[in-house]
Amino acid sequence: MVTYDEETCTQAGPSGIMAPSPRMVNTMSLRAIGALAAVVALIPLTSGSATAPVPNATSSAPADTVEVTLTASATRLSLVEGVETDVYAYDGRIPGPTFEFEEGQHVVVRFRNDLPEATTVHWHGLNLPFLSDGSPFHPVQPGEEYTYSFTIRPGAAGTYWYHPHPNHATGWQVAMGLYGAVVIRAADDPLPSEYEDKVFLLSDNKFDEDGSILVHERTTLPGIVDFENGREGDHLFVNGEELPTVTIRPGEIQRWRFLNVSAGRYYRLALEGQPFVHVGNDGGLFERPVEVDELLLATAERVEVLVRGVGEPGDRYVLRTLPYDRYIPQTRPKDWDQPRDLLVVEIAGEAVDAPPVPERLRPIPKLTSEGEGDDQVMTLTQGFINGKAMDMGRVDATGVVGETQVWKIENIVGMDHPFHLHGFQFQVIERNGVPEPFRSWKDVVNVPADETARFIVRYENYPGKWMFHCHILDHEDHGMMGILEVTPAEEDGG
Ligand code: C2O
Ligand code: CU
Ligand code: CU
């Protein structure tokens, strides 16, 4: 069995709190309305309730700024029927509120940490200034506030999420309930607005007999297994509910966004009775839809798919996660080869004629680099990148604003590792020597056991220190993480 070197898991680095200068928001009323408008009740999806987009109240404002608040606190909620559990929650719910923003909008998030410990809010996948990344460089202490502010880049429309990112405690805080979705919309969205848009956050958890969230001590055998595999739970949740039901009308087409917000579990999604029309990945829509029978979501990955209402009212179909072997044999869970039901899809209501799926979605410019070969090579082992655990005081890779680089990620151990880069969306070029069949924007690439992936990324803006890491949270917390420092372009003249 592989063991981790606890010695290298040091708490290091600057811990000063730097609050980005708050941008002025236009008026008091805008502040109030904006906060309401941006938080859209896409969840929970009890009894098949529809998403209800709220019109953007700030669209007529001179500066398109939207301000929202977010609070993390310790509270008690019922996650499984009949028991109350001590949890951490954003705005008192799990998942946290789904934020809906538009390309071009300036977003100000006033965050308050009411937890008994330090935390951060990381905006996973978004291109934003370093000070608003919510990385371990900028912890927010208990009782303190922090303002995250960023402008949504044109072309960013897609499905993102937010979660804590404190050094060595991300897995713990996510297990306790801290995660939520961010949906970015484009004014020129190519998909018909008639397609109802639904967001599904996929999470898992496990509980003690008294209903409390079970996080094993690392020194115990189950703790070692969780550390090795990434903690998985036997309870599977879709938007915080076990096996919920959603409805779709006969003939209807719905647009579904799946987010894997689990710490270690992968989802191999398949829907009974029909293939998925896969239209997007982490960073938004493809150039063209692709039909697939199943979709693998490594931790932190997102997809957008179109699903049809096939059949008669009363028909029911199950969305399942199929077995996927990402494990080393020694710690493979006993039930790894069992499919699990996630969601029931019920055909209900009157038949409709859905507008057809467009053949073209949006252009994705091809990234090319001037250099030859790989600018960054990252070798993944169990808990380490290039043989090292993260050191907040070390820089592992460098780049310059405006530069385009090719990264090669080689996994030389017998377990999958999902590799994530902060701050910049990339394009996967090839996996194991096989060219990627089509372009898409990604911020996580799963690198299967003993395989290699290459991606290309442009650091189009925002100097700073950007984390890259395995998104199995136990591996990340151990230090399977490094730092890319992007420095300003010299021509900028400072
Ligand atoms: Cu989803 Cu470094 O994070
Ligand atoms: Cu991230
Ligand atoms: Cu890993």
Side-chain angles (χ1 to χ4, degrees):
M1 187 176 300
V2 185
T3 55
Y4 288 95
D5 180 6
E6 288 286 339
E7 308 265 77
T8 58
C9 194
T10 51
Q11 189 91 29
S15 58
I17 315 300
M18 292 190 273
S21 59
R23 292 274 298 253
M24 288 312 294
V25 178
N26 299 342
T27 61
M28 281 305 290
S29 59
L30 168 63
R31 186 173 307 202
I33 298 163
L36 287 174
V39 184
V40 176
L42 293 170
I43 46 175
L45 284 161
T46 39
S47 63
S49 67
T51 59
V54 175
N56 170 23
T58 63
S59 56
S60 59
D64 198 4
T65 295
V66 62
E67 180 169 324
V68 296
T69 59
L70 184 71
T71 302
S73 64
T75 180
R76 276 173 80 75
L77 289 174
S78 176
L79 304 183
V80 284
E81 243 184 67
V83 229
E84 282 229 317
T85 302
D86 286 317
V87 297
Y88 289 170
Y90 286 124
D91 289 0
R93 42 184 163 145
I94 300 175
T98 293
F99 291 107
E100 187 172 317
F101 303 127
E102 288 172 23
E103 289 181 358
Q105 257 176 353
H106 185 71
V107 176
V108 175
V109 183
R110 305 231 178 258
F111 172 67
R112 183 176 168 78
N113 179 14
D114 277 342
L115 299 171
E117 60 187 288
T119 191
T120 75
V121 186
H122 170 55
W123 304 92
H124 180 118
L126 289 182
N127 175 233
L128 36 57
F130 173 54
L131 287 175
S132 290
D133 187 40
S135 79
F137 282 110
H138 305 111
V140 185
Q141 300 302 328
E144 289 192 336
E145 293 183 3
Y146 193 97
T147 300
Y148 299 94
S149 66
F150 43 88
T151 300
I152 307 290
R153 180 179 54 82
T159 313
Y160 304 87
W161 60 300
Y162 59 100
H163 61 80
H165 215 308
N167 212 7
H168 302 297
T170 298
W172 156 252
Q173 292 189 3
V174 169
M176 287 296 283
L178 296 176
Y179 48 82
V182 179
V183 172
I184 310 282
R185 298 198 184 281
D188 54 353
D189 193 323
L191 289 174
S193 56
E194 288 88 345
Y195 296 179
E196 193 180 309
D197 200 326
K198 286 180 174 163
V199 175
F200 299 105
L201 292 99
L202 308 178
S203 67
D204 61 343
N205 217 332
K206 57 184 161 190
F207 302 90
D208 232 329
E209 274 151 33
D210 65 356
S212 58
I213 290 169
L214 181 57
V215 179
H216 298 287
E217 287 293 325
R218 276 184 196 172
T219 47
T220 64
L221 184 60
I224 291 167
V225 170
D226 277 356
F227 205 18
E228 198 68 47
N229 293 342
R231 179 177 176 272
E232 290 190 356
D234 51 337
H235 290 262
L236 270 51
F237 298 95
V238 178
N239 296 338
E241 281 188 77
E242 293 186 87
L243 199 60
T245 298
V246 292
T247 58
I248 184 166
R249 296 161 71 178
E252 189 187 353
I253 297 178
Q254 294 186 356
R255 176 181 189 170
W256 291 3
R257 302 164 191 264
F258 290 106
L259 299 85
N260 182 354
V261 300
S262 287
R265 182 179 289 276
Y266 283 29
Y267 297 85
R268 191 178 140 213
L269 300 176
L271 179 57
E272 258 182 349
Q274 62 175 294
F276 294 115
V277 178
H278 188 192
V279 292
N281 274 350
D282 305 340
L285 295 176
F286 301 152
E287 296 197 303
R288 287 178 199 81
V290 196
E291 216 174 80
V292 290
D293 289 326
E294 55 179 65
L295 280 164
L296 181 69
L297 255 81
T299 52
E301 285 189 305
R302 291 88 64 203
V303 287
E304 281 185 64
V305 299
L306 303 178
V307 163
R308 292 168 199 273
V310 181
E312 302 296 319
D315 289 352
R316 298 176 137 232
Y317 303 90
V318 177
L319 174 82
R320 294 200 171 87
T321 177
L322 305 176
Y324 177 71
D325 188 7
R326 64 180 186 85
Y327 312 96
I328 55 170
Q330 295 93 314
T331 55
R332 191 181 281 139
K334 273 197 198 73
D335 62 348
W336 79 270
D337 57 352
Q338 297 304 307
R340 295 285 306 268
D341 293 353
L342 294 175
L343 180 75
V344 176
V345 184
E346 188 179 310
I347 310 292
E350 268 170 49
V352 282
D353 260 333
V357 177
E359 276 169 38
R360 288 180 178 274
L361 299 173
R362 62 165 186 177
I364 296 184
K366 183 179 181 179
L367 294 181
T368 49
S369 74
E370 309 83 56
E372 280 171 36
D374 302 314
D375 301 284
Q376 309 289 352
V377 178
M378 300 293 159
T379 302
L380 310 181
T381 50
Q382 206 66 357
F384 301 95
I385 298 177
N386 289 344
K388 296 176 206 149
M390 196 196 53
D391 178 342
M392 297 278 287
R394 190 182 67 221
V395 168
D396 302 277
T398 58
V400 178
V401 169
E403 191 183 356
T404 303
Q405 289 189 340
V406 172
W407 290 49
K408 178 185 180 182
I409 318 298
E410 43 183 19
N411 181 357
I412 60 168
V413 290
M415 174 182 280
D416 289 29
H417 294 282
F419 188 90
H420 168 52
L421 173 65
H422 282 211
F424 307 96
Q425 291 283 317
F426 54 73
Q427 294 174 359
V428 176
I429 312 170
E430 57 170 54
R431 301 183 199 237
N432 238 12
V434 179
E436 194 73 345
F438 54 88
R439 280 193 288 283
S440 76
W441 291 113
K442 296 278 297 160
D443 51 63
V444 180
V445 58
N446 185 48
V447 192
D450 302 311
E451 293 196 9
T452 295
R454 290 170 74 233
F455 64 75
I456 186 163
V457 58
R458 185 174 141 80
Y459 314 125
E460 54 188 312
N461 44 25
Y462 304 134
K465 288 184 175 177
W466 304 97
M467 328 302 293
F468 54 86
H469 58 87
C470 176
H471 218 292
I472 289 175
L473 299 182
D474 301 81
H475 299 179
E476 171 190 335
D477 283 336
H478 168 261
M480 193 172 176
M481 176 152 65
I483 293 164
L484 162 74
E485 180 163 28
V486 175
T487 51
E490 267 165 33
E491 305 83 64
D492 285 1

Coordinates of all heavy atoms in Angstrom, one line a residue, residues 4-6 9 167-172 215-228 473-479:
Y4 N 1.6 7.9 2.6 CA 2.0 9.3 2.5 C 3.0 9.8 3.5 O 3.1 9.3 4.6 CB 0.7 10.2 2.7 CG -0.3 10.1 1.6 CD1 -1.3 9.1 1.6 CD2 -0.1 10.8 0.4 CE1 -2.2 9.0 0.6 CE2 -1.0 10.7 -0.6 CZ -2.0 9.8 -0.5 OH -2.9 9.7 -1.6
D5 N 3.8 10.7 3.1 CA 4.8 11.3 3.9 C 4.2 12.5 4.7 O 4.1 13.6 4.1 CB 6.0 11.7 3.1 CG 7.1 12.3 4.0 OD1 7.0 12.2 5.2 OD2 8.1 12.7 3.4
E6 N 3.8 12.2 5.9 CA 3.2 13.3 6.6 C 4.1 14.5 6.9 O 3.7 15.6 7.0 CB 2.7 12.8 8.0 CG 1.4 11.9 7.9 CD 0.2 12.7 7.6 OE1 0.1 13.9 7.8 OE2 -0.8 12.1 7.0
C9 N 4.0 17.5 4.7 CA 2.7 18.2 4.7 C 2.8 19.4 5.6 O 2.2 19.4 6.7 CB 1.6 17.2 5.1 SG 0.0 17.8 4.7
N167 N -5.8 26.0 3.1 CA -4.7 25.0 3.0 C -4.9 23.8 3.9 O -5.2 23.9 5.1 CB -3.4 25.7 3.4 CG -2.2 25.2 2.7 OD1 -2.3 24.4 1.8 ND2 -1.0 25.7 3.1
H168 N -4.9 22.6 3.3 CA -5.0 21.3 4.0 C -6.4 21.0 4.5 O -6.6 20.0 5.2 CB -4.0 21.2 5.2 CG -2.6 21.4 4.7 ND1 -2.0 20.5 3.8 CD2 -1.7 22.3 5.0 CE1 -0.7 20.9 3.6 NE2 -0.5 22.0 4.3
A169 N -7.4 21.9 4.3 CA -8.7 21.6 4.9 C -9.8 21.7 3.9 O -11.0 21.7 4.3 CB -8.9 22.5 6.1
T170 N -9.5 21.7 2.6 CA -10.6 21.7 1.6 C -11.5 20.5 1.7 O -12.7 20.7 1.7 CB -10.0 21.9 0.2 OG1 -9.2 23.1 0.2 CG2 -11.0 21.9 -0.8
G171 N -10.9 19.3 1.8 CA -11.8 18.1 1.8 C -12.7 18.1 3.0 O -13.9 17.8 2.9
W172 N -12.2 18.5 4.1 CA -13.0 18.6 5.4 C -14.2 19.6 5.2 O -15.3 19.2 5.5 CB -12.1 19.0 6.5 CG -12.8 19.6 7.7 CD1 -12.8 21.0 8.1 CD2 -13.7 19.0 8.6 NE1 -13.6 21.2 9.2 CE2 -14.1 20.0 9.6 CE3 -14.1 17.7 8.8 CZ2 -15.0 19.7 10.6 CZ3 -15.0 17.4 9.9 CH2 -15.4 18.4 10.8
V215 N -16.0 11.7 9.0 CA -14.6 11.9 8.4 C -13.6 11.2 9.2 O -13.4 11.5 10.4 CB -14.3 13.4 8.3 CG1 -13.0 13.7 7.7 CG2 -15.4 14.2 7.5
H216 N -13.1 10.1 8.7 CA -12.2 9.3 9.5 C -10.8 10.0 9.8 O -10.3 10.7 8.9 CB -11.9 8.0 8.7 CG -13.1 7.1 8.4 ND1 -13.7 6.4 9.4 CD2 -13.8 6.9 7.3 CE1 -14.7 5.8 8.9 NE2 -14.8 6.1 7.6
E217 N -10.3 9.6 10.9 CA -9.0 10.0 11.3 C -8.0 9.4 10.3 O -8.2 8.2 9.9 CB -8.6 9.6 12.7 CG -9.3 10.3 13.8 CD -8.8 11.8 13.9 OE1 -7.6 12.0 13.6 OE2 -9.6 12.6 14.2
R218 N -7.0 10.1 9.8 CA -6.1 9.6 8.8 C -5.3 8.4 9.3 O -4.7 7.7 8.5 CB -5.1 10.7 8.4 CG -5.7 11.6 7.3 CD -4.7 12.6 6.9 NE -5.3 13.7 6.2 CZ -4.7 14.8 5.8 NH1 -3.4 14.9 6.1 NH2 -5.3 15.7 5.1
T219 N -5.2 8.3 10.6 CA -4.4 7.2 11.2 C -5.1 5.9 11.2 O -4.5 4.8 11.4 CB -3.9 7.6 12.6 OG1 -5.0 8.1 13.3 CG2 -2.8 8.7 12.5
T220 N -6.4 5.9 11.1 CA -7.2 4.7 11.1 C -7.2 4.0 9.7 O -6.9 4.7 8.7 CB -8.7 4.9 11.5 OG1 -9.3 5.8 10.4 CG2 -8.8 5.7 12.8
L221 N -7.6 2.7 9.6 CA -7.5 2.1 8.4 C -8.5 2.7 7.4 O -8.1 3.0 6.2 CB -7.8 0.6 8.5 CG -7.7 -0.2 7.2 CD1 -6.3 -0.1 6.6 CD2 -8.1 -1.7 7.5
P222 N -9.8 2.9 7.8 CA -10.7 3.6 6.8 C -10.2 5.0 6.4 O -10.4 5.5 5.3 CB -12.0 3.7 7.5 CG -11.8 3.2 8.9 CD -10.5 2.5 9.0
G223 N -9.5 5.7 7.3 CA -8.9 7.0 7.0 C -7.8 6.9 6.0 O -7.7 7.7 5.1
I224 N -7.0 5.8 6.1 CA -5.9 5.6 5.1 C -6.5 5.3 3.7 O -6.1 5.8 2.7 CB -5.0 4.5 5.6 CG1 -4.2 4.9 6.8 CG2 -4.1 4.1 4.4 CD1 -3.5 3.8 7.5
V225 N -7.6 4.5 3.7 CA -8.3 4.2 2.5 C -8.9 5.4 1.8 O -8.7 5.7 0.6 CB -9.4 3.1 2.7 CG1 -10.2 2.9 1.4 CG2 -8.7 1.8 3.1
D226 N -9.5 6.3 2.7 CA -10.1 7.5 2.1 C -9.0 8.4 1.6 O -9.2 9.1 0.6 CB -10.9 8.3 3.2 CG -12.3 7.7 3.4 OD1 -12.7 6.8 2.6 OD2 -13.0 8.2 4.3
F227 N -7.9 8.5 2.3 CA -6.8 9.3 1.9 C -6.3 8.8 0.5 O -5.9 9.6 -0.4 CB -5.7 9.2 2.9 CG -4.8 10.3 3.0 CD1 -5.1 11.6 2.4 CD2 -3.6 10.2 3.7 CE1 -4.3 12.6 2.5 CE2 -2.7 11.3 3.7 CZ -3.1 12.5 3.2
E228 N -6.2 7.5 0.4 CA -5.7 6.9 -0.9 C -6.6 7.2 -2.1 O -6.2 7.6 -3.1 CB -5.5 5.4 -0.6 CG -4.6 4.7 -1.6 CD -3.2 5.1 -1.4 OE1 -2.7 5.2 -0.3 OE2 -2.6 5.5 -2.4
L473 N -9.8 15.7 -3.4 CA -9.5 16.7 -2.3 C -8.5 16.1 -1.3 O -7.7 16.9 -0.7 CB -10.8 17.1 -1.7 CG -11.8 17.8 -2.7 CD1 -13.0 18.3 -1.9 CD2 -11.1 19.0 -3.4
D474 N -8.5 14.9 -1.0 CA -7.6 14.3 0.0 C -6.2 14.4 -0.6 O -5.2 14.6 0.2 CB -7.9 12.9 0.3 CG -9.3 12.7 0.8 OD1 -10.3 12.7 0.0 OD2 -9.5 12.7 2.1
H475 N -6.0 14.3 -1.9 CA -4.7 14.4 -2.5 C -4.2 15.8 -2.5 O -3.1 16.2 -2.1 CB -4.7 13.9 -3.9 CG -5.0 12.4 -4.0 ND1 -5.1 11.7 -5.2 CD2 -5.3 11.5 -3.0 CE1 -5.5 10.5 -5.0 NE2 -5.6 10.3 -3.7
E476 N -5.2 16.7 -2.8 CA -4.9 18.2 -2.8 C -4.4 18.6 -1.4 O -3.4 19.3 -1.2 CB -6.1 18.9 -3.3 CG -6.0 20.4 -3.1 CD -7.3 21.1 -3.3 OE1 -8.2 20.6 -4.0 OE2 -7.5 22.2 -2.8
D477 N -5.2 18.2 -0.4 CA -4.9 18.6 1.0 C -3.6 18.1 1.5 O -2.9 18.7 2.3 CB -6.1 18.1 1.9 CG -7.3 19.0 1.8 OD1 -7.2 20.2 1.4 OD2 -8.4 18.5 2.2
H478 N -3.2 16.9 0.9 CA -1.9 16.4 1.3 C -0.8 17.2 0.7 O 0.3 17.3 1.3 CB -1.8 14.9 0.8 CG -0.4 14.4 0.8 ND1 0.4 14.4 -0.2 CD2 0.3 13.9 1.9 CE1 1.6 13.9 0.2 NE2 1.6 13.6 1.4
G479 N -1.1 17.9 -0.4 CA -0.1 18.7 -1.0 C 0.2 18.3 -2.4 O 1.3 18.7 -3.0

